[in-house]
């Protein structure tokens, strides 16, 4: 009997030891310990003198306020589900002039001009977006799979996106390779410049039938004329825009102080790639206006207080576009207080644009909780084959745009950021522990006269 009891005790002890060993071999750190919540706020304002809605001339004043809430939920040890919900609202002098001939402007009691905002409905808009990302990590944390879906909507545009990727870490996690693919299936609800839209509805008789009925149209000399006819204009037959991308990146820790990564993207777009409400004016066509004739000689300057030029056509661009950006990042650990983060990218597409981007950021550790990081970014690009300034296109061309985003220019952006980090999350808001605060201020200037200021503020909380 004693022998039986001894054998049973021995077996029980062996089983217990085996369970302990098994639990030790299967123990792993959770990918995300607690639910994290990011609250992001940003403000953007700009001004310039090359409005694309105005065919390459006019005010580019715009202000935008945006907010995002990002929630990362740990589903278990290996899986994380992240939601990103965003809303932004803008007011724009440029887009307001899709219809500069509001009720008072057309009747003549007030006069339209590309240098002032119209009171039309297109003066402001809201963008709402939501995305979800699911990621799964292998037990050894060397393999990561992810998938995402997204949806966004504004008054004339809807976008649906989906994609996925895979990341492999090896060489004791000193080396990382990542591949990713995405598709965005977008839909325009085309809105055209008002004079072109009236022509599309009523044909050659639009000057006597629509909102322009009884409103004098002026020629270049200020005389009343009935010759304006935007016969080049046609509405779009299709309104979809599809974008597909594939990305590859490689990251390597070279030394204790240097980390390097390279990346390449391949992007293909098809469908309606032009913007329906951006005007174009032809050099070989007569000019026609609505408003006060005394301002015609100073039309393309801010001295124009009361006349608007009628469009010859909307912009026309090819229905396909192919883009390839290639770049690299190198981070240098200088000392325990300073790290240098450098970035370079080369870009080329089949619309004739070649571009170079270079940037540097220098995080400086002020204390255990505070970090400051000055930053600078330089960008330069060649012009698209289809770009020409205001009144430089010819009506015989197949494609044309006066959008200065497709022009030759260079730009610089500089700013300063501050980060406060509390790994112990001592500040509490109900069940939320404040983990970090991030503030960034940037100024952007472009060689074509566009300038902008950007401020962003982010809070990261941990649900405890």
């Amino acid at each position: 009997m004693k022998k039986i009891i001894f054998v049973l005790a021995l077996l029980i002890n062996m089983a217990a030891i085996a369970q302990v060993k098994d639990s030790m071999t299967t123990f792993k750190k959770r990918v995300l310990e607690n639910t994290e919540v990011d609250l992001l706020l940003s403000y953007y304002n700009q001004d310039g003198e090359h409005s694309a809605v105005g065919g390459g001339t006019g005010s580019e004043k715009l202000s935008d306020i945006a907010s995002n809430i990002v929630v990362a939920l740990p589903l278990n040890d290996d899986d994380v589900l992240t939601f990103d919900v965003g809303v932004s609202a803008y007011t724009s002098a440029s887009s307001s002039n899709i219809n500069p001939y509001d009720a008072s402007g057309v009747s003549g009691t007030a006069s339209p001009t590309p240098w002032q905002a119209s009171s039309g409905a297109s003066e402001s808009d809201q963008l709402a977006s939501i995305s979800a990302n699911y990621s799964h990590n292998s037990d050894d944390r060397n393999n990561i799979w992810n998938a995402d879906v997204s949806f966004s909507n504004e008054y004339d545009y809807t976008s649906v996106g989906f994609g996925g990727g895979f990341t492999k870490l090896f060489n004791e996690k000193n080396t990382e390779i990542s591949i990713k693919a995405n598709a965005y299936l977008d839909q325009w609800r085309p809105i055209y410049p008002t004079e072109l839209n009236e022509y599309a509805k009523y044909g050659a008789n639009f000057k006597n039938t629509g909102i322009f009925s009884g409103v004098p149209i002026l020629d270049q000399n200020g005389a009343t004329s009935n010759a304006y006819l935007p016969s080049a204009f046609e509405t779009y037959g299709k309104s979809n825009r599809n974008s597909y991308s594939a990305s590859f990146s490689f990251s390597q820790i070279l030394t204790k102080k240097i980390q390097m990564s390279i990346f390449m993207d391949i992007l293909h777009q098809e469908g309606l790639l032009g913007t329906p409400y951006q005007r174009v004016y032809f050099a070989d066509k007569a000019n026609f206006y609505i408003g006060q004739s005394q301002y015609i000689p100073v039309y393309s300057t801010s001295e124009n207080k009361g006349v608007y030029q009628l469009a010859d056509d909307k912009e026309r661009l090819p229905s396909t576009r192919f883009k390839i950006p290639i770049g690299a990042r190198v981070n240098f650990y200088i000392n325990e207080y300073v790290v240098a983060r450098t970035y370079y990218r080369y870009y080329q597409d089949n619309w004739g644009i070649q571009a170079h981007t270079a940037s540097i950021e220098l995080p400086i550790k002020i204390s255990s909780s505070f970090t400051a990081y000055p930053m600078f970014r330089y960008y330069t690009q060649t012009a698209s084959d289809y770009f020409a300034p205001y009144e430089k296109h010819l009506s015989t061309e197949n494609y044309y745009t006066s959008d200065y985003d497709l022009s030759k220019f260079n730009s610089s952006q500089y700013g300063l950021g501050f980060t406060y980090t509390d790994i112990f999350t001592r500040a509490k808001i109900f069940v939320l522990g404040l983990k970090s605060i991030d503030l960034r201020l940037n100024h952007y200037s472009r060689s074509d006269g566009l300038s902008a200021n950007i401020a962003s503020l982010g809070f990261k909380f941990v649900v405890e």
Side-chain angles (χ1 to χ4, degrees), residues 27 55 86 93 95 105 122 131 143 196 208 246 322 338 371 394 407 414 418 425 450 454:
F27 173 78
S95 67
S122 57
S131 65
N143 300 293
L196 300 180
N208 301 313
F322 187 73
V338 182
T371 302
L394 299 176
S407 70
Y414 54 87
F418 298 93
T425 61
L450 180 71
I454 310 117

Side-chain angles (χ1 to χ4, degrees), residues 302-371:
S302 58
E303 295 178 29
N304 172 13
K305 305 296 183 183
V307 71
Y308 207 100
Q309 185 174 348
L310 302 176
D312 291 321
D313 198 4
K314 66 185 184 314
E315 76 171 9
R316 293 178 183 267
L317 291 169
S319 59
T320 61
R321 190 177 186 183
F322 187 73
K323 310 176 184 180
I324 299 181
I326 302 173
R329 293 181 177 89
V330 181
N331 297 336
F332 301 91
Y333 176 86
I334 298 174
N335 55 44
E336 61 180 311
Y337 300 105
V338 182
V339 176
R341 299 173 180 168
T342 64
Y343 170 90
Y344 170 78
R345 188 190 76 160
Y346 171 77
Y347 168 92
Q348 183 174 350
D349 65 26
N350 63 341
W351 285 10
I353 294 179
Q354 296 183 43
H356 302 270
T357 307
S359 69
I360 184 169
E361 185 177 293
L362 293 172
I364 302 171
K365 191 173 183 180
I366 300 174
S367 69
S368 60
S369 298
F370 288 94
T371 302

Side-chain angles (χ1 to χ4, degrees), residues 31-41 68-73 80 82-83 418-429 431-439 457-464:
V31 175
L32 185 64
E33 292 292 338
N34 300 94
T35 297
E36 294 185 348
V37 179
D38 289 88
L39 175 61
L40 309 173
L41 304 169
N68 284 74
I69 297 177
V70 183
V71 181
L73 302 166
V80 178
T82 303
F83 294 97
F418 298 93
T419 297
Y420 165 78
T421 303
D422 181 3
I423 60 174
F424 300 108
T425 61
R426 284 168 290 211
K428 301 290 192 298
I429 302 177
V431 297
L432 300 177
L434 180 61
K435 189 174 182 179
S436 66
I437 302 174
D438 188 75
L439 171 66
L457 179 63
F459 301 87
K460 180 180 285 292
F461 299 94
V462 176
V463 178
E464 299 180 337

Side-chain angles (χ1 to χ4, degrees), residues 129-146:
S129 64
I130 183 170
S131 65
N133 179 278
Y134 167 79
S135 66
H136 171 77
N137 286 252
S138 62
D139 290 338
D140 60 7
R141 303 299 185 247
N142 288 330
N143 300 293
I144 305 169
W145 295 265
N146 69 81

